[in-house]
């Protein structure tokens, strides 16, 4: 049997951008589109051209980039949506019609006959203007199947090249989706796409069921972004296809780029990825519990379904109250140190004590404990000499820092949406002049009660080779934030200095 090629339509820039609170500038859309193209996505839904001038600017930028992917614009069954798409120079339109009586009658106030006439007219108009048309049935899982078949047949007679069945508000379970797609795959010769949402947490399962039943295209978003509970997550679907259905069908995606693309989307949308998110979450390949860590160090497959490198991730050992001695021994050996049994016991106790106090043991704290127990002293490679922050109702939040690095002084200023953001931006400028260290994540980890509350800030930093966590604590959130940044920077720079000295 010939292995089926599954096309991937990524709708992060359209449906994903409809996530509440997300708005992408044209240049941000272009950056994400280029990442998606490098990933190997077949079709990029760049937006809906009718939306705004800014949306059209973003779509045009993507079109002008001459990417390998087909560039498609969302459009309703009206010429007023097709014309802006044509002006943008897209390859195709994702032509969406309401298919359930609920949507036909309550949303657009039409009849079934009206919808059939509109589909015929607009499909013909788009095709006559040289566009590829993917005819998509909104709310198809609550529509009458006989009516769906009639409308799709009208589109096919006009010449549409693909059709799409949308489970718009997740109104079917996987076995029902399988039945629906099986029925339509029997009678339709063009590719059938599955567009599933995750309102009941089965978007990925429904999409895979649609493929098993004969579907040949998926609609998905990076990180599962989208309205309400989001769309089916591209990274989860494509990894599942690779692991479980590779003999039957597959995609052309470079799975090893999934994590990288995910982080770019997280950065530009401002929607943080849950640590427990499948495939690309920070904890997807992280291990703390003693029995798990021991197992994965002996044989990775014991507690990892796939190698983290397959999706661009790295294994992380987390040290906390559940950590076992085996993990500590292994990590100390990995970094080239020789610890005695007594030193291992002391490190083990220090880690347990921190965990029992409800503290996340950051990477910086873990290595600081090792240094202390084993008599190694961390040199502060970078020190804060001055920090000045201004802000107010009518003043742009601004921060100025003076930082000493070895025998040099760096002075930088930064602005931000608030004083914390301004201070972080000022520190970032200095650090970028010293090394290639960059901030990946920032969050307030814990705050004690009262007006003199102690603030715990945890940052995640990377130098391109390692990713580490570092903490800063203070009654002042600005000081805590700066301290966390400098603690992490010092840890990375000192570890680098030690490793270079050992060579």
């Amino acid at each position: 049997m010939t292995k089926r090629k599954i096309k991937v339509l990524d709708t992060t820039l359209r449906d994903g951008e409809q996530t509440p609170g997300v708005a992408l500038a044209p240049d941000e859309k272009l950056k994400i589109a280029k990442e998606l193209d490098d990933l190997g996505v077949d079709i990029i839904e760049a937006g809906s051209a009718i939306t705004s001038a800014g949306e059209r600017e973003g779509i045009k930028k993507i079109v002008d980039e001459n990417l390998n992917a087909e560039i498609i614009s969302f459009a309703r069954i009206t010429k007023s949506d097709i014309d802006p798409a044509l002006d943008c120079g897209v390859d195709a339109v994702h032509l969406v019609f309401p298919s359930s009586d609920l949507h036909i009658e309550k949303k657009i106030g039409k009849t079934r006959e009206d919808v059939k006439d509109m589909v015929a007219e607009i499909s013909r108009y788009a095709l006559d203007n040289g566009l590829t048309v993917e005819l998509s049935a909104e709310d198809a899982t609550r529509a009458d199947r006989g009516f769906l078949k009639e409308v799709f047949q009208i589109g096919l007679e006009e010449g549409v090249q693909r059709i799409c069945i949308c489970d718009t508000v997740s109104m079917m379970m996987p076995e029902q989706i399988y039945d629906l797609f099986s029925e339509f795959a029997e009678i339709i010769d063009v590719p059938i796409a599955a567009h599933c949402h995750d309102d009941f947490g089965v978007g990925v399962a429904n999409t895979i069921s649609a493929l098993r039943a004969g579907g040949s295209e998926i609609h998905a978003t990076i990180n599962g972004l989208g309205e309400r509970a989001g769309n089916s997550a591209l990274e989860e679907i494509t990894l599942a296809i690779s692991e479980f259905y590779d003999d039957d069908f597959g995609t052309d995606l470079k799975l090893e780029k999934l994590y990288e693309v995910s982080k770019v989307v997280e950065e530009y949308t401002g929607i943080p990825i849950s640590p427990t998110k499948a495939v690309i979450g920070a904890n997807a390949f992280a291990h703390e519990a003693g029995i798990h860590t021991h197992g994965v160090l002996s044989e990775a497959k014991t507690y990892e379904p796939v190698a983290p490198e397959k999706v661009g991730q790295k294994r992380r050992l987390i040290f906390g109250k559940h950590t076992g001695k085996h993990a500590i021994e292994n990590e100390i050996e990995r970094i080239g140190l020789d610890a005695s049994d007594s030193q291992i016991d002391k490190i083990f106790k220090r880690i347990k004590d921190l965990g029992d106090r409800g503290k996340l043991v950051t990477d910086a704290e873990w290595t600081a404990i090792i240094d202390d127990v084993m008599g190694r002293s961390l040199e502060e490679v970078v020190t804060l000499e001055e920090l000045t922050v201004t802000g107010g109702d009518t003043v742009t939040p601004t921060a100025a820092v003076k930082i000493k690095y070895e025998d040099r002084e760096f002075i930088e200023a930064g602005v931000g949406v608030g004083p914390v953001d301004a201070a972080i931006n000022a520190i970032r400028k200095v650090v970028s002049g010293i090394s290639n260290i960059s901030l990946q994540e920032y969050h307030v980890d814990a705050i004690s009660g009262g007006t003199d509350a102690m603030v715990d800030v945890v940052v995640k930093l990377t130098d391109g080779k390692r990713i580490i966590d570092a903490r800063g604590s203070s009654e002042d959130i600005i000081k805590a934030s700066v301290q966390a940044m400098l603690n992490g920077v010092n840890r990375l720079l000192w570890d680098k200095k030690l490793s270079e000295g050992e060579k």
Side-chain angles (χ1 to χ4, degrees), residues 127-265:
L127 290 163
D128 286 347
N129 279 279
L131 293 170
T132 295
V133 176
E134 182 163 321
L135 183 61
S136 194
E138 185 178 16
D139 204 28
T141 51
R142 289 192 291 190
D144 175 75
R145 292 194 187 185
F147 175 65
L148 270 183
K149 291 173 185 176
E150 289 177 21
V151 181
F152 282 142
Q153 186 57 41
I154 288 170
L156 291 170
E157 288 174 359
E158 293 296 337
V160 302
Q161 292 91 340
R162 305 189 296 265
I163 70 160
C164 176
I165 295 174
C166 302
D167 190 14
T168 303
V169 288
S170 192
M171 294 306 294
M172 280 189 175
M173 289 290 108
E175 66 275 12
Q176 296 168 303
I177 287 284
Y178 184 91
D179 176 71
L180 176 63
F181 273 76
S182 295
E183 182 175 333
F184 278 78
E186 286 287 326
I187 60 172
I188 292 175
D189 292 329
V190 301
I192 305 176
H195 181 107
C196 300
H197 283 255
D198 205 38
D199 297 79
F200 286 93
V202 292
V204 171
N206 277 348
T207 302
I208 291 171
S209 289
L211 297 179
R212 291 180 54 240
S216 53
E217 181 187 313
I218 64 167
H219 288 199
T221 59
I222 300 294
N223 302 343
L225 293 176
E227 296 175 281
R228 305 181 311 280
N231 290 47
S232 300
L234 181 144
E235 59 279 355
E236 296 177 25
I237 298 168
T238 52
L239 180 60
I241 289 172
S242 172
E243 287 295 307
F244 296 101
Y245 302 100
D246 192 51
D247 289 340
D248 301 317
F249 46 81
T251 72
D252 287 338
L253 262 61
K254 302 167 189 167
L255 299 184
E256 68 276 8
K257 288 185 61 67
L258 284 173
Y259 181 71
E260 177 187 339
V261 177
S262 169
K263 297 304 289 184
V264 170
V265 170

Side-chain angles (χ1 to χ4, degrees), residues 258-333:
L258 284 173
Y259 181 71
E260 177 187 339
V261 177
S262 169
K263 297 304 289 184
V264 170
V265 170
E266 179 186 42
E267 177 186 354
Y268 286 128
T269 62
I271 302 296
I273 301 166
S274 166
T276 55
K277 174 77 167 65
V279 185
I280 44 78
N283 292 350
F285 298 96
H287 310 276
E288 179 183 336
I291 188 171
H292 283 206
T293 303
H294 192 174
V296 83
L297 289 173
S298 301
E299 172 50 66
K301 290 181 180 178
T302 53
Y303 289 105
E304 288 178 350
V306 299
E309 292 77 14
K310 181 168 184 175
V311 295
Q313 280 259 45
K314 291 182 180 179
R315 179 181 303 120
R316 296 178 66 219
L317 299 184
I318 306 298
F319 298 95
K321 66 185 293 184
H322 303 292
T323 300
K325 284 187 181 180
H326 185 75
I328 291 173
E329 292 169 348
N330 182 273
E331 184 63 12
I332 289 174
E333 182 180 332

Side-chain angles (χ1 to χ4, degrees), residues 74-86:
F74 178 93
R76 297 165 299 178
I77 43 175
T78 170
K79 288 182 180 179
S80 62
D81 278 23
I82 304 298
D83 289 336
L86 288 168

Side-chain angles (χ1 to χ4, degrees), residues 408-447:
R408 291 181 289 166
E409 284 188 348
F410 292 81
I411 299 174
E412 285 287 359
V415 297
V417 295
V420 172
D421 189 39
I424 292 290
N425 287 336
I427 296 287
R428 272 175 156 170
K429 286 184 179 181
V430 175
V431 171
S432 67
I434 296 171
S435 181
N436 62 341
I437 297 170
S438 61
L439 174 68
Q440 283 200 330
E441 292 180 18
Y442 167 98
H443 66 271
V444 178
D445 189 50
I447 304 178

